Amino acid sequence: MSAGISRPAPASGAAINAYNPAYDPLVSPPGQGQDYAPTYWVATAGAPPEDDGPIRSDIDADVVIVGSGFTGLSAALALARDFGVKAVVLEANRAVWGCTSRNGGQGQNASGRLYRSQWIERWGLDTAKRLDAEIREGFEYWKSLVAQVDCDAQPGGHLYTAHRQKKMAFLQNEARVMRDVFGYDTKMLSRAELHERYVDDREAVGAMHEPDGVGVHPLKLAYGYLRQARALGVRIHPSSPVLGWRVENGMYRLQTPGGTVRARRVAFATGGYTAQGVNRLLDNRIMPVLSNSMVTRVLSAEEREAAGLKSTVFITDTRTLRFYYRLLPDGRMQIGSRSALRGADAENPRHLALLREGLARKFPALRGVDVAYSWWGWVDVSHDMMPRVTQPDPAQQVYYAFGYGGNGVAFSAHAGRRLAQRMMGKDGIAWNLPIYDTPLPGHLFAPFRRIGQGLLYRWYYLRDELL
């Protein structure tokens, strides 16, 4: 559902096809020229920047980037700015159509689904510290880009709320690790302190506050990336899905409906919208998971006071199937969480009802408040819960950046920059990290992942709410 969304036609005059709400990357083709999902971000970002229209003939390029989201645009921007390379960016639908126009806009000093304590358990302290330094550098780089774009930035950090008393010990340990091992000014808040300083979340029994975190309007930010990249000579071609590719005479020939694009190097940055069969290097290496989001109408000052909304700091709770929520700059409340297993079920009203009830449990004063925008989008979750920015086959000039697991708003900027550096052969100690020096793991039982996902969701619900 939506309220008054206006979607102007692209300046290039490219045809716009109807948005397909049942799109599912495991079973659907990439699509072509689809309109945006009816998100709050689309409704409030303003007119999309100019693009270069669909591919209409065979062309040559030094570097081609597949995907025009945060990662692809950041890579193109870094290639142009740092190396003088004017990349060609291919997008199946409208520019910035996928994850980037549908996420929660929460920029964290993180990437992937694992916590820093889990980094230590998996790779040891030395690697965990180097990984932290890398991701911290990435967060600072992203902040420098945010500072250049009017994207409704809301600084103030990130609140991680314990939705049950048993979760306080977990947060206390994570706060200690972040503070004592990695040097962050992370603090624990009691229920009373949380309510007094930030929000009167009735579910929360306490919280951990991380000082690093900035909420943004993700589509305004992406439009900023796009404008900057095109100003440096990058070409953005929407309605140009890659239907397949092959190597011929040392060149990569990418087939699109309008012509063949020949390139010396190719990077894939299609996130949760990576269709099966387009790139065998990526088949079955991402588990696309649906996330639902909604935004309320503008709340009155009295309603915000009754709900105890004193801050715009963004929040995540400790459920495995977590809720993420915040007060937006214009006085609306945003909340998101899990959704359907399959695209075919995405429109089922029960998924929106889950968000409505989640908001009401946390803020009883907002029960029944009108919902102005509701949408869903696919998240690229890797099978080991961590991203990759890599060249999976050293014999091929093919690269990819994937697997943020819902924590890509900030890290995608750094991932795009690292992707550009890798494509240009730049060496550095950073490559000796698990997110860079190994490919995404595959899955032996890929055809049955949805069955396992359904069983896991039931187990997570029991563990989150009852056990």
Side-chain angles (χ1 to χ4, degrees), residues 55-339:
I55 295 292
R56 301 189 188 279
S57 63
D58 294 352
I59 66 169
D60 291 332
D62 186 6
V63 175
V64 167
I65 298 169
V66 184
S68 67
F70 278 146
T71 303
L73 292 176
S74 173
L77 183 59
L79 284 166
R81 183 193 58 217
D82 301 338
F83 300 100
V85 174
K86 299 174 182 180
V88 168
V89 179
L90 302 179
E91 168 60 52
N93 298 296
R94 297 194 70 175
V96 203
W97 179 83
C99 308
T100 298
S101 67
R102 311 181 198 214
N103 62 73
Q106 297 188 354
Q108 298 188 43
N109 179 17
S111 188
R113 305 285 292 185
L114 300 184
Y115 306 104
R116 280 165 172 77
S117 61
Q118 293 172 306
W119 297 354
I120 297 171
E121 293 172 6
R122 179 172 292 188
W123 297 299
L125 182 58
D126 177 67
T127 297
K129 284 187 172 182
R130 290 192 299 110
L131 183 57
D132 171 72
E134 175 71 6
I135 290 179
R136 192 185 306 208
E137 178 184 343
F139 183 73
E140 294 301 319
Y141 174 68
W142 174 74
K143 286 200 302 181
S144 73
L145 297 181
V146 169
Q148 301 171 33
V149 179
D150 182 5
C151 59
D152 303 340
Q154 295 175 296
H158 170 228
L159 283 169
Y160 205 2
T161 57
H163 75 286
R164 298 174 68 185
Q165 186 62 47
K166 63 183 290 186
K167 289 295 185 177
M168 283 296 285
F170 158 73
L171 287 182
Q172 288 164 347
N173 179 69
E174 203 62 34
R176 179 190 60 79
V177 169
M178 293 188 70
R179 185 175 55 250
D180 297 348
V181 178
F182 297 104
Y184 292 102
D185 186 21
T186 306
K187 291 183 171 61
M188 289 299 299
L189 302 171
S190 67
R191 177 185 174 92
E193 290 171 326
L194 175 67
H195 290 184
E196 179 183 354
R197 300 180 194 175
Y198 295 100
V199 291
D200 189 8
D201 184 335
R202 298 297 176 84
E203 275 195 326
V205 297
M208 179 180 78
H209 180 254
E210 301 176 84
D212 293 321
V214 182
V216 296
H217 189 303
L219 195 52
K220 288 183 179 180
L221 180 59
Y223 283 174
Y225 290 0
L226 196 157
R227 291 187 181 97
Q228 290 179 24
R230 288 193 76 245
L232 292 173
V234 173
R235 289 147 60 195
I236 313 291
H237 294 283
S239 299
S240 302
V242 174
L243 306 176
W245 60 276
R246 69 183 189 275
V247 184
E248 187 176 289
N249 298 325
M251 297 285 284
Y252 296 90
R253 298 174 63 90
L254 289 82
Q255 179 189 353
T256 77
T260 298
V261 181
R262 295 178 294 267
R264 297 183 184 280
R265 286 161 286 191
V266 181
F268 286 84
T270 44
Y273 290 79
T274 305
Q276 292 280 94
V278 173
N279 184 350
R280 63 176 179 79
L281 298 173
L282 285 168
D283 283 351
N284 302 321
R285 294 184 182 274
I286 286 291
M287 180 60 189
V289 174
L290 266 182
S291 178
N292 241 33
S293 294
M294 78 175 200
V295 171
T296 70
R297 61 163 171 76
V298 176
L299 304 176
S300 68
E302 292 76 17
E303 287 172 321
R304 295 196 299 271
E305 183 177 1
L309 302 175
K310 305 177 180 68
S311 171
T312 58
V313 169
F314 62 80
I315 309 167
T316 311
D317 71 20
T318 46
R319 290 175 169 86
T320 306
L321 303 174
R322 60 196 179 194
F323 286 92
Y324 53 91
Y325 43 111
R326 61 169 164 148
L327 182 66
L328 295 170
D330 64 358
R332 302 173 187 269
M333 197 67 185
Q334 172 200 14
I335 186 168
S337 188
R338 66 179 174 89
S339 185

